[in-house]
């Protein structure tokens, strides 16, 4: 155990010395391992040695300060400590009785988070693994409310009396919303992708028109999913206006704030998420931008009883307990087992404090704005979308044919990522391939961002 702790500490100290993307070919790691399991026990020192030589060098290093792809994440030291202790306790907090401290700590720490982002006191939190699951649970609760629980009892198959249930999200919404409607049996064809404006935000007029069209066709709208921090550009849908549509049509409003929700701990960024308080449910991922190790996604609900109504069952006799007024976490989703995720989030908030977390988010956003200024000042490059937080979409622009420009940007991306010190990602906006630089790792400093920019500029010159 002590050696493992030393390995983690050494890794975090030296992670920046690795290339972000490992120099490994597909199948190479597996080929270095035995095809069959060992018949006899092996010493733990041997296992740790293999970890050090076969695993650690051959992962994509999400904890690397040069990781600026997707949405950068950080396993901070306090969070890793909390995760380690939770693994040692090995608690299954399915019931209050099977995990009194984990249950009550989850209630406490999610309420701390609610306070930090400025949601009203009635909201209650529930920790899941990812935003994909949190959003699916929210849409399940919306389905339950819209049908009065009828779908829970009778299902949806073969029912002439049940109209198609429709969900609305922007063209820029995350694919997890597509997967949620598929998984819940609503049907992918009943997810309406609402057009966006020039800043990649949901068009409120198009939303209203889509709902009206479905209503005239005899369909039953049940939910709107707005996004606060879209995956491609980090644009924020007009939450207050969308909430007005949801209220008028009596639809559930879920806000996917998996990325940008964390920025709301800073009052100046909270203003960019105006209307968040009108949602029925909000998801944000502390494992994205609050330095908590994967996985930790918080679903905040205006009325948690609606989620419980969708999933709670009278349990088997073995699961019946007599404690009055307690929360049994198994009642708020399909899973019975519950990991002790609250511990690492509790450690992170306490170790950094709200002010420390705010300072780091502000520093990331300031670095992103500085990077955007470098792009604007450089001939042959352009900014491609608003950048209100810590993500910048940009591209090399030559004035040539669209296909040629797209090819150039793809080649620049491949060249930069092959170099080793940084890792960027891309997005497609309309017919344009754009490059994305996201700052979210607690170890990322100005020098790392400057290295990324120099690599981009050098790649364009070579290509």
């Amino acid at each position: 155990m002590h050696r493992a702790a030393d390995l983690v500490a050494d890794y975090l100290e030296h992670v920046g010395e690795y290339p972000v993307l490992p120099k490994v070919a597909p199948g190479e790691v597996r080929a270095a391992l035995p095809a069959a399991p060992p018949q006899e026990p092996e010493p733990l020192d041997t296992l740790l040695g293999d970890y050090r030589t076969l695993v650690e060098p051959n992962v994509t290093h999400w904890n690397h300060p040069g990781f600026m792809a997707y949405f950068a994440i950080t396993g901070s030291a306090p969070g890793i400590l909390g995760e380690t202790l939770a693994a040692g306790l090995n608690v299954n907090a399915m019931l209050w009785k099977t995990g009194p401290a984990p249950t009550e700590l989850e209630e406490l720490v999610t309420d701390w988070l609610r306070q930090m982002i400025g949601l009203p006191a009635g909201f209650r939190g529930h920790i899941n693994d990812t935003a994909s699951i949190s959003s699916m649970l929210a849409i399940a609760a919306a389905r339950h409310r819209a049908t009065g629980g009828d779908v829970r009892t009778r299902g949806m198959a073969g029912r002439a009396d049940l109209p198609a249930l429709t969900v609305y999200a922007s063209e820029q919404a995350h694919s997890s919303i597509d997967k949620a409607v598929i998984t819940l049996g609503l049907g992918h064809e009943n997810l309406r992708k609402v057009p966006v404006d020039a800043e990649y935000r949901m068009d409120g007029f198009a939303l209203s028109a889509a709902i009206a069209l479905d209503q005239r066709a005899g369909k039953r709208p049940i939910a709107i999913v707005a996004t606060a921090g879209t995956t491609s550009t980090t644009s924020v849908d007009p939450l207050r206006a969308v909430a007005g549509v949801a209220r008028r049509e009596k639809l559930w409003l879920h806000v996917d704030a998996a990325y940008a929700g964390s920025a709301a701990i800073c009052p100046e960024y909270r203003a960019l998420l105006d209307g968040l308080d009108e949602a029925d449910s909000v998801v944000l991922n502390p494992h994205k931008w609050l330095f908590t190790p994967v996985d930790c996604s918080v679903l905040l609900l205006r009325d948690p009883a609606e989620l419980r109504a969708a999933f709670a069952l009278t349990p088997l006799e073995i699961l019946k307990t007599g404690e009055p007024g307690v929360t049994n976490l198994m009642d708020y989703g399909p899973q019975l087992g519950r990991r002790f995720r609250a511990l690492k989030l509790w450690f992170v908030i306490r170790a950094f404090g709200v002010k420390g977390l705010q300072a780091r988010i502000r520093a990331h956003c300031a670095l992103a704005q500085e990077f955007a200024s470098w792009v604007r000042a450089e001939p042959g490059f352009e900014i491609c979308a608003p950048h209100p937080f810590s993500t910048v979409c940009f591209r090399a622009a030559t004035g040539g044919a669209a296909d040629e420009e797209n090819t150039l940007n793809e080649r620049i991306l491949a060249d930069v990522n092959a170099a080793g010190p940084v890792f960027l990602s891309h997005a497609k906006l309309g017919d344009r391939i754009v490059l994305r630089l996201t700052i979210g790792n607690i170890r990322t400093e100005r020098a790392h961002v400057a290295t990324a920019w120099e690599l981009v500029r050098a790649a364009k010159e070579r290509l």
Side-chain angles (χ1 to χ4, degrees):
M1 296 291 287
H2 292 289
R3 185 179 171 197
D6 288 341
L7 282 172
V8 172
D10 290 344
Y11 173 70
L12 295 178
E13 184 177 351
H14 298 289
V15 61
E17 299 170 12
Y18 281 112
V20 186
L21 294 172
K23 306 295 185 181
V24 62
E28 190 174 330
V29 174
R30 181 166 182 171
L33 299 170
Q39 296 300 310
E40 301 295 336
E42 296 186 63
L44 291 180
D45 280 350
T46 301
L47 272 63
L48 292 176
D50 285 349
Y51 159 82
R52 184 68 182 82
T53 58
L54 294 175
V55 177
E56 185 178 295
N58 294 317
V59 300
T60 296
H61 297 282
W62 288 72
N63 261 340
H64 196 293
F67 190 108
M68 302 178 205
Y70 312 119
F71 286 126
I73 60 174
T74 305
S76 65
I80 292 169
L81 180 59
E83 184 79 280
T84 301
L85 294 173
L89 291 172
N90 198 34
V91 170
N92 181 353
M94 57 187 178
L95 304 166
W96 178 89
K97 185 174 184 177
T98 66
T103 299
E104 295 183 20
L105 192 57
E106 180 165 328
E107 293 178 306
L108 171 73
V109 77
T110 55
D111 191 65
W112 282 4
L113 195 57
R114 174 200 64 78
Q115 295 175 54
M116 289 162 64
I117 67 172
L119 285 180
F123 279 79
R124 178 188 141 177
H126 183 69
I127 301 180
N128 299 294
D129 54 0
T130 61
S132 299
I133 298 302
S134 291
S135 292
M136 185 180 73
L137 296 182
I139 295 172
R143 182 185 66 179
H144 184 84
R145 185 171 78 179
T147 61
D150 182 64
V151 166
R152 171 186 164 119
T153 304
R154 299 177 56 200
M156 299 175 64
R159 292 184 54 182
D161 64 314
L162 183 68
L165 307 179
T166 52
V167 175
Y168 304 82
S170 90
E171 294 173 343
Q172 293 291 311
H174 192 265
S175 60
S176 61
I177 307 305
D178 299 67
K179 290 187 176 183
V181 299
I182 292 168
T183 303
L184 292 169
L186 301 174
H188 202 199
E189 67 179 20
N190 293 314
L191 174 62
R192 303 289 180 258
K193 292 296 185 73
V194 180
V196 295
D197 63 16
E199 295 186 348
Y200 305 102
R201 303 172 303 182
M202 183 187 291
D203 184 321
F205 294 106
L207 171 64
S208 294
I211 293 171
L213 184 65
D214 280 335
Q215 289 170 331
R216 287 195 296 272
K219 302 179 188 300
R220 183 183 300 173
I222 65 168
I224 302 169
V225 179
T227 307
T230 56
T231 302
S232 294
T233 66
T234 70
S235 297
V236 179
D237 289 338
L239 303 181
R240 189 74 67 187
V242 172
V245 176
R247 277 198 314 274
R248 185 184 71 232
E249 302 295 342
K250 297 182 173 57
L251 305 182
W252 185 287
L253 174 59
H254 175 62
V255 177
D256 177 359
Y259 162 70
S262 295
I265 71 171
C266 302
E268 67 271 30
Y269 294 116
R270 192 178 303 164
L272 298 177
L273 280 68
D274 178 55
L276 196 66
D277 58 312
E278 295 197 47
D280 292 287
S281 55
V282 177
V283 60
L284 69 154
N285 286 354
H287 70 228
K288 276 195 170 72
W289 206 6
L290 285 180
F291 319 123
T292 304
V294 171
D295 51 21
C296 184
S297 175
V298 177
L299 177 64
L300 292 153
L301 298 124
R302 178 178 299 279
D303 184 0
E306 295 195 283
L307 183 62
R308 188 181 188 282
F311 287 105
L313 291 170
T314 301
L316 298 172
E317 192 64 33
I318 194 173
L319 297 177
K320 289 182 179 178
T321 62
E323 299 83 13
V326 300
T327 296
N328 292 320
L329 294 173
M330 69 174 190
D331 291 339
Y332 294 87
Q335 70 272 32
L336 178 63
R338 294 283 304 176
R339 288 210 305 119
F340 190 4
R341 294 186 179 94
L343 189 62
K344 57 187 173 184
L345 180 56
W346 188 55
F347 272 33
V348 167
I349 294 174
R350 292 184 64 188
F352 290 102
V354 175
K355 290 184 178 179
L357 294 171
Q358 289 172 333
R360 286 161 175 83
I361 285 176
R362 286 171 176 144
H364 288 166
C365 292
L367 270 177
Q369 304 316 308
E370 185 175 10
F371 176 82
S373 73
W374 299 342
V375 175
R376 284 196 194 90
E378 184 78 13
F381 283 91
E382 64 182 7
I383 297 292
C384 301
H387 43 90
F389 303 108
S390 68
T391 298
V392 181
C393 291
F394 66 104
R395 73 197 301 257
T398 63
D403 287 348
E404 293 176 357
E405 284 196 338
N406 283 344
T407 298
L408 172 62
N409 282 280
E410 289 172 333
R411 292 175 65 192
I412 290 172
L413 182 65
D415 197 77
V416 169
N417 288 343
V422 303
F423 178 31
L424 308 184
S425 55
H426 74 283
K428 190 169 186 181
L429 301 179
D431 60 355
R432 298 184 303 167
I433 298 293
V434 305
L435 310 182
R436 286 176 77 261
L437 179 141
T438 293
I439 302 167
N441 191 292
I442 202 169
R443 301 173 185 88
T444 300
E445 298 176 354
R446 186 179 187 274
H448 301 108
V449 180
T451 295
W453 179 227
E454 288 306 313
L455 288 169
V456 168
R457 292 175 67 234
K460 181 177 181 290
E461 287 299 314
R462 280 194 301 275
L463 299 170

